[in-house]
Amino acid sequence: MGQAFRALFAAIFADRAATLLLLLSPLIYAGFYPSAYTGEVVVRAPVVVVDQDGTSASRGLLIGVGAVQQTEVVASLASTAEAQLWLAEGRAVAALIIQQGFGEDIARGDPGTVLLTGNGAYLLRASSALSGIGVALGRTGRDAAREQARAAGPPTQPGLVLVSRPLFNTREGYGAAVFPGVAFVIIHQSLLLGLTLLAGTAREKMGPAMRFAPRQLAGIALAASCIGLAEVAWFVGMVFWWHDYPRAAAPLLDVMAAAVLFVAATVAAALALASLFRTRERPLQLGLALSLPLFFLTGLSWPAEATPVALVAIARLFPTTSGLELMVGLNQMGGTLIDYWAAALNLVLLTLLCGSFSYWRWTGNWRP
């Protein structure tokens, strides 16, 4: 068993492709994949303004627009046509036009009228800029309401106060919502492709009738599991912390137990699949084609409730589905193993099923 444990690592270091898949790809993905979302929160988006009113109320609104985090007033223009030109040329992503009579309407207690325009070519930046302008408009409206209420006495306290507090994704960013799940797909694919690549290479050299003793197969599985657990620790303990993604929401022992279940099911599935290939290239072709469907079947980007029942059932045959549900539920959402007992049980059943198949294929008397 110990000899097979060491032999797997020796085979990995002797094969550059296996080294890249099993050891280096998690490091590369950890730096490359989240970098696309480093600027997911838009700040200081360029905005132009057209003040056709010129009153203290309109000037107060412009000061408020310049004070919010999402916007930066880059120009004060004389006409709407100039604002449209700035948007068309990409020099601004949104425009605020304050129409004449805005201040008088506010003074009479009537709603003021403004025109907001965004550049659809920069959808995220434009929507964030318009959202920031909306915040400034809300503040201006509250200030005007307080001024109007002075003559009528102090306003009554509202019967209901809305407090918005985002859960599980406190930054409200796309990266924090997606990458914690993608990380476990990366771990799954790393183990799957790496082990099947090594198996295909060995069978090319030793022939399709290659067999392992039970102790040897256990040593290989243990070595692969150690690699998988190290990758889980790398993402959960370092990468999520470095990028300030939600993490460590559940007790450490629960997360460790979930990691063992996920890695065990993944290694068992990888060994089972590896027994079916005779060449080195074939598992790579299949694995790369399955990566995207596996992610969509996890229910992370599309809810399982809106997925056909047949696809939901098929998804349970892959460790990534229950693995992501369990790991994200514990690490990001603060659940417990009891809360996700169905996912944990599914991983146990997959480990037993794929492990039995692997044992039969690698140690039995089947014909290749």
Side-chain angles (χ1 to χ4, degrees):
M1 182 175 177
Q3 184 179 1
F5 184 94
R6 294 187 295 270
L8 180 66
F9 283 98
I12 292 173
F13 287 114
D15 191 320
R16 291 182 179 180
T19 303
L20 176 63
L21 287 171
L22 287 169
L23 303 180
L24 297 182
S25 62
L27 302 178
I28 297 173
Y29 273 110
F32 173 75
Y33 197 98
S35 64
Y37 308 112
T38 54
E40 59 184 348
V41 179
V42 177
V43 295
R44 316 309 296 171
V47 173
V48 294
V49 297
V50 179
D51 187 0
Q52 298 175 343
D53 188 54
T55 61
S56 59
S58 64
R59 289 192 295 270
L61 174 58
L62 297 183
I63 293 173
V65 172
V68 296
Q69 183 184 24
Q70 296 97 320
T71 61
E72 179 181 7
V73 179
V74 294
S76 180
L77 306 177
S79 66
T80 304
E82 289 184 69
Q84 292 176 345
L85 182 62
W86 275 65
L87 293 176
E89 293 177 350
R91 290 185 287 173
V93 297
L96 167 63
I97 295 94
I98 305 176
Q99 298 180 345
Q100 190 173 3
F102 174 80
E104 294 180 2
D105 292 337
I106 294 294
R108 288 196 303 266
D110 297 331
T113 303
V114 298
L115 176 63
L116 301 180
T117 305
N119 190 337
Y122 305 96
L123 185 59
L124 178 59
R125 299 179 68 196
S127 62
S128 297
L130 294 176
S131 176
I133 296 174
V135 171
L137 285 170
R139 292 174 182 172
T140 301
R142 288 192 296 270
D143 293 341
R146 281 195 295 267
E147 292 294 332
Q148 295 163 6
R150 286 181 179 178
T156 59
Q157 293 295 327
L160 179 65
V161 178
L162 176 63
V163 178
S164 178
R165 183 175 300 169
L167 298 176
F168 315 131
N169 183 3
T170 55
R171 296 173 59 185
E172 298 183 274
Y174 187 74
V178 172
F179 183 74
V182 172
F184 299 108
V185 177
I186 293 172
I187 294 171
H188 175 271
Q189 292 299 91
S190 172
L191 290 172
L192 185 72
L193 296 179
L195 292 178
T196 51
L197 176 74
L198 289 174
T201 303
R203 296 183 74 178
E204 283 183 353
K205 295 179 180 180
M206 302 176 63
M210 182 180 64
R211 299 289 187 275
F212 292 117
R215 288 180 175 268
Q216 291 177 314
L217 186 61
I220 293 173
L222 181 60
S225 298
C226 289
I227 296 173
L229 291 174
E231 292 178 358
V232 171
W234 162 249
F235 280 103
V236 173
M238 181 63 187
V239 178
F240 293 169
W241 167 80
W242 180 261
H243 293 284
D244 195 26
Y245 292 148
R247 65 196 181 281
L252 179 60
L253 291 179
D254 282 11
V255 177
M256 292 174 62
V260 170
L261 292 176
F262 169 63
V263 171
T266 299
V267 170
L271 290 176
L273 189 63
S275 68
L276 303 176
F277 295 105
R278 301 185 183 183
T279 61
R280 177 184 175 89
E281 295 80 10
R282 198 68 65 199
L284 296 178
Q285 297 170 348
L286 178 63
L288 293 176
L290 287 177
S291 298
L292 197 58
L294 284 179
F295 175 73
F296 286 116
L297 286 174
T298 59
L300 188 64
S301 61
W302 188 261
E305 292 77 8
T307 304
V309 177
L311 287 181
V312 173
I314 293 174
R316 292 295 172 183
L317 299 177
F318 302 98
T320 47
T321 303
S322 297
L324 264 70
E325 181 181 349
L326 186 60
M327 294 302 298
V328 173
L330 267 63
N331 195 54
Q332 272 71 43
M333 302 176 67
T336 64
L337 285 174
I338 297 177
D339 297 326
Y340 294 93
W341 66 268
L345 179 61
N346 192 82
L347 290 175
V348 171
L349 294 177
L350 285 177
T351 302
L352 295 175
L353 178 62
C354 296
S356 300
F357 183 78
S358 301
Y359 183 86
W360 173 67
R361 292 282 291 178
W362 287 115
T363 65
N365 295 319
W366 54 272
R367 295 182 178 180

